[in-house]
Structures are given as structure tokens and as C-alpha cells.
């Protein structure tokens, strides 16, 4: 539902919506991390950071999409929030990246990871540049320090 407010919860501004999405995505990332840690401890998954990271991303995205659906908020290319959609180089190089979550109206990208990323990480640089300067927020499991915003020089 998009009208004078956003979603069934009635977010009044894009900033309010962005903050709600960040809280939810952090929650979903933490839940996925707890599942992953339990499966690793039980010997069901190997502790390969690349594999674990991909699985966490996938689980958190499913939960985020389910939450957005419950709010009546579409999340495809061109919508007010885009989940796992291509972000093409505005310079026309043909290059692209796929941020986990982008909210164009809030000029914000969320990227979930178990690693550490900075303003010198190529993926983060491309997110920032391809979007025309969106803020990039890294979403990490709370046990690894939680979320943080990338500051560009």
C-alpha cells in the first residue's frame, strides 16, 4: 500500500521507511546468522565464509520480502524498494552490481555481509558511484559488530 503513507504500518516519510527497513533487515540478518551458527556447530554446514555469507544473504532476503509483502509494499525493479536487483553503471560502461536492498527515494543501499567492507572495497565504490551517490550501509550480524554506514572521503 502506497499512498499518503507507505505500507500497512503507515510510514510517513522515506527516512522513516528506510529506518524501519534497516531495523528489520538487521533482525533478519541476525536470525539467519543464528541459524547458520547452529548448523555449523551441528556439523551440517562447513564454516566456509563465502558459502555461509551467501546463505545468510538468501535467508535474510526471503524474510525481508515476506515482511514487505505483509506490508503490501512492492519490491521489484522500479519500485520504492528494490531487493536483489541490478544497479547499472550510470556512465554506460555496461557494468552492474546487485545490492541486497536499495531504497532510491531515501538514497540508501543496504549490503548484508559477514565480512568487513570499507569505502575502498570495489563493490561498495560501485554501489556508491552507480547509484549517483547513495549512502551505503553495511549490515552485519550483531555478534560481529552490527551495521555501520560507509563514509566516502
Amino acid at each position: 500500500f502506497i499512498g499518503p503513507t507507505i505500507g500497512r504500518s503507515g510510514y510517513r516519510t522515506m527516512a522513516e521507511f528506510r529506518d524501519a527497513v534497516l531495523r528489520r533487515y538487521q533482525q533478519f540478518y541476525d536470525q539467519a546468522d543464528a541459524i547458520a551458527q547452529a548448523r555449523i556447530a551441528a556439523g551440517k554446514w562447513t564454516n566456509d565464509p563465502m558459502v555461509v555469507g551467501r546463505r545468510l544473504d538468501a535467508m535474510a532476503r526471503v524474510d525481508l520480502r515476506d515482511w514487505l509483502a505483509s506490508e503490501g509494499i512492492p519490491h521489484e525493479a522500479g519500485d520504492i524498494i528494490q531487493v536483489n536487483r541490478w544497479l547499472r553503471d550510470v556512465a554506460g560502461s555496461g557494468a552492474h552490481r546487485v545490492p541486497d536492498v536499495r531504497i532510491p527515494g531515501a538514497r540508501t543501499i543496504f549490503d548484508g555481509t559477514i565480512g568487513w567492507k570499507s569505502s575502498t572495497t570495489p563493490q561498495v565504490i560501485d554501489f556508491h558511484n552507480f547509484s549517483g551517490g547513495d549512502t551505503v550501509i553495511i549490515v552485519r550480524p550483531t555478534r560481529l559488530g552490527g551495521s555501520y554506514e560507509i563514509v566516502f572521503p
Side-chain angles (χ1 to χ4, degrees), residues 71-125:
E71 285 285 330
I73 300 171
H75 49 81
E76 301 296 329
D79 289 329
I80 66 165
I81 184 169
Q82 299 151 15
V83 179
N84 203 41
R85 298 289 170 215
W86 282 27
L87 178 61
R88 298 176 194 279
D89 181 2
V90 292
S93 71
H96 74 278
R97 292 287 186 168
V98 183
D100 293 336
V101 181
R102 182 171 185 230
I103 306 174
R107 304 225 30 189
T108 304
I109 291 172
F110 300 125
D111 184 55
T113 186
I114 57 173
W116 182 261
K117 296 180 181 179
S118 72
S119 63
T120 62
T121 304
Q123 179 191 40
V124 172
I125 292 167

Side-chain angles (χ1 to χ4, degrees), residues 55-73:
R55 289 177 175 171
L56 259 65
D57 281 352
M59 288 188 283
R61 280 195 310 266
V62 166
D63 289 343
L64 182 62
R65 285 183 175 125
D66 288 348
W67 175 71
L68 290 168
S70 76
E71 285 285 330
I73 300 171

